[in-house]
């Protein structure tokens, strides 16, 4: 089989022979096609609303790439605007990226669309206070072939208790499972996404998996008062104040903050 690479040709990503350089006409063809068939799309990127929003997101993210922390070159739609035109100005769907990380993301999206069998698995670390809406966020973004590690759900399943008591003996088993799961995930490409739901950041997860997979760090940043009210309503028996202290002391650098969950 000849060695190939993924490149832009005639305005769309295509697999071409490795030595080939995409030609300039392709760019021109692409621009022309954009002008004629994607007027709305082009208009949007020239609109005052977009330019304003773009500036706002650059400020919000301190001009840093939200995946690697280097200087950002662009503001990207997390869910591509073509797939989700409605949310094109939604701040929660926008993030700053550097050129390198954007390239990786584009390539991954292309794989997802064109080569469903060759998966490009991502690990999503979803953190936040109890009651922040982490599971809700995951349910909203998961696909039909994902792996979800949810501490609370596992605790409930293993204790048979509905009201989410923390049982310290069972806790060890739930954590043991996470350990084993992380080790197995190193070699895995079987899922579209892996979701690990936790309260606090866990650097072990990064150090174990960062060399093997792309990890998205997501912080469900709901007001503590809202979380506390939800916990009270669910009659969950947890030490909220203690968790809140740890949460506030944690290092959330590199996490993308999501509001309103
Ligand atoms: Zn980057």
């Amino acid at each position: 089989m000849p060695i190939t690479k993924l490149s832009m040709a005639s305005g769309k990503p295509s697999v071409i022979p490795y030595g080939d350089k995409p030609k300039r006409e392709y760019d021109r063809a692409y621009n022309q096609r954009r002008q004629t068939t994607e007027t709305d799309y082009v208009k949007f990127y020239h609109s005052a609303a977009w330019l304003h929003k773009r500036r706002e997101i650059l400020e919000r993210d301190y001009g840093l790439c939200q995946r690697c922390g280097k200087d950002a070159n662009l503001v990207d739609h997390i869910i591509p605007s073509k797939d989700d035109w409605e949310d094109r100005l939604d701040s929660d769907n926008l993030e700053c990226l550097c050129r390198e990380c954007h390239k990786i993301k584009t390539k991954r999206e292309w794989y997802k669309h064109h080569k469903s069998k060759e998966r490009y698995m991502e690990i999503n670390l979803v953190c936040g206070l109890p009651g922040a809406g982490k599971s809700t966020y995951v349910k909203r973004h998961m696909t039909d072939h994902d792996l979800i590690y949810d501490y609370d759900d596992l605790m409930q399943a293993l204790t048979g208790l509905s009201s989410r008591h923390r049982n310290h003996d069972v806790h060890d088993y739930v954590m043991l499972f996470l350990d084993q799961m992380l080790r197995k995930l190193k070699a895995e490409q079987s899922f579209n996404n892996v979701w690990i739901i936790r309260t606090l950041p866990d650097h072990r997860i990064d150090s174990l998996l960062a060399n093997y997979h792309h990890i998205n760090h997501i912080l469900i940043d709901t007001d503590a008062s809202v979380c506390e009210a939800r916990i009270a309503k669910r009659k969950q028996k947890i030490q909220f104040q203690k968790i809140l202290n740890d949460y506030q002391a944690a290092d959330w650098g590199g996490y993308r903050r999501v509001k309103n969950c």
Side-chain angles (χ1 to χ4, degrees):
M1 229 176 84
I3 303 171
T4 55
K5 66 176 178 183
L6 184 61
S7 186
M8 293 296 280
S10 305
K12 42 184 205 267
S14 322
V15 174
I16 62 169
Y18 188 76
D20 278 16
K21 276 196 181 137
K23 289 180 192 140
R24 288 203 141 248
E25 301 87 83
Y26 292 153
D27 301 344
R28 218 173 302 135
Y30 176 51
N31 287 335
Q32 271 170 9
R33 198 167 59 87
R34 258 176 82 143
Q35 290 295 350
T36 50
T37 64
E38 301 171 336
T39 341
D40 281 346
Y41 190 69
V42 174
K43 245 192 228 158
F44 167 65
Y45 281 104
H46 286 106
S47 69
W50 167 248
L51 295 175
H52 180 82
K53 178 58 77 178
R54 191 181 179 281
R55 214 165 27 238
E56 180 191 313
I57 300 299
L58 276 165
E59 256 168 53
R60 182 197 68 186
D61 294 347
Y62 302 105
L64 297 175
C65 173
Q66 296 303 291
R67 295 188 178 219
C68 72
K70 290 182 192 145
D71 285 343
N73 305 97
L74 48 96
V75 172
D76 180 61
H77 286 92
I78 297 165
I79 297 167
S81 49
K82 277 181 184 167
D83 295 343
D84 195 353
W85 188 244
E86 291 300 302
D87 279 347
R88 66 193 181 281
L89 282 172
D90 178 357
S91 302
D92 282 347
N93 191 38
L94 292 167
E95 65 180 354
C96 291
L97 291 181
C98 71
R99 215 159 266 135
E100 194 54 35
C101 288
H102 182 251
K103 218 163 85 187
I104 295 171
K105 179 173 178 272
T106 310
K107 189 169 172 177
R108 190 176 56 241
E109 279 161 5
W110 185 86
Y111 263 93
K112 269 191 183 161
H113 279 113
H114 295 85
K115 301 215 166 193
S116 52
K117 271 177 205 148
E118 292 173 48
R119 295 181 193 282
Y120 195 109
M121 193 178 92
E122 276 187 64
I123 312 271
N124 300 281
L125 253 174
V126 183
C127 296
L129 286 168
K134 302 185 288 290
S135 318
T136 311
Y137 177 85
V138 172
K139 283 199 185 92
R140 234 180 257 159
H141 292 88
M142 60 186 267
T143 73
D144 56 4
H145 195 78
D146 289 3
L147 175 67
I148 301 169
Y149 176 95
D150 184 332
Y151 178 95
D152 285 338
D153 280 356
L154 288 169
M155 191 56 121
Q156 226 175 317
L158 293 176
T159 57
L161 297 172
S162 54
S163 60
R164 301 193 187 187
H165 296 262
R166 301 254 157 171
N167 178 322
H168 287 286
D169 298 321
V170 179
H171 168 88
D172 288 348
Y173 286 79
V174 180
M175 295 317 285
L176 193 67
F177 173 59
L178 177 62
D179 266 359
Q180 295 299 325
M181 191 182 101
L182 292 177
R183 279 172 225 300
K184 183 164 165 54
L185 279 174
K186 278 187 187 179
E188 208 69 71
Q189 284 291 345
S190 346
F191 305 103
N192 291 335
N193 297 290
V194 174
W195 304 90
I196 301 173
I197 302 176
R198 299 181 51 83
T199 304
L200 299 170
D202 183 342
H203 300 295
R204 214 174 29 131
I205 297 176
D206 291 275
S207 58
L208 269 168
L209 295 179
N211 287 336
Y212 306 89
H213 298 289
H214 180 76
I215 305 179
N216 295 313
H217 298 83
I218 302 157
L219 170 59
I220 309 300
D221 191 13
T222 308
D223 283 345
S225 56
V226 175
C227 298
E228 201 173 7
R230 287 180 185 162
I231 298 294
K233 211 171 156 193
R234 290 183 205 156
K235 297 193 171 68
Q236 262 176 280
K237 289 182 182 169
I238 52 171
Q239 295 171 293
F240 190 79
Q241 193 52 49
K242 187 190 170 297
I243 296 172
L244 182 60
N245 292 342
D246 292 343
Y247 174 86
Q248 283 166 341
D251 174 12
W252 294 106
Y255 274 77
R256 180 166 65 81
R257 285 172 189 264
V258 175
K259 286 269 182 197
N260 309 323
C261 242

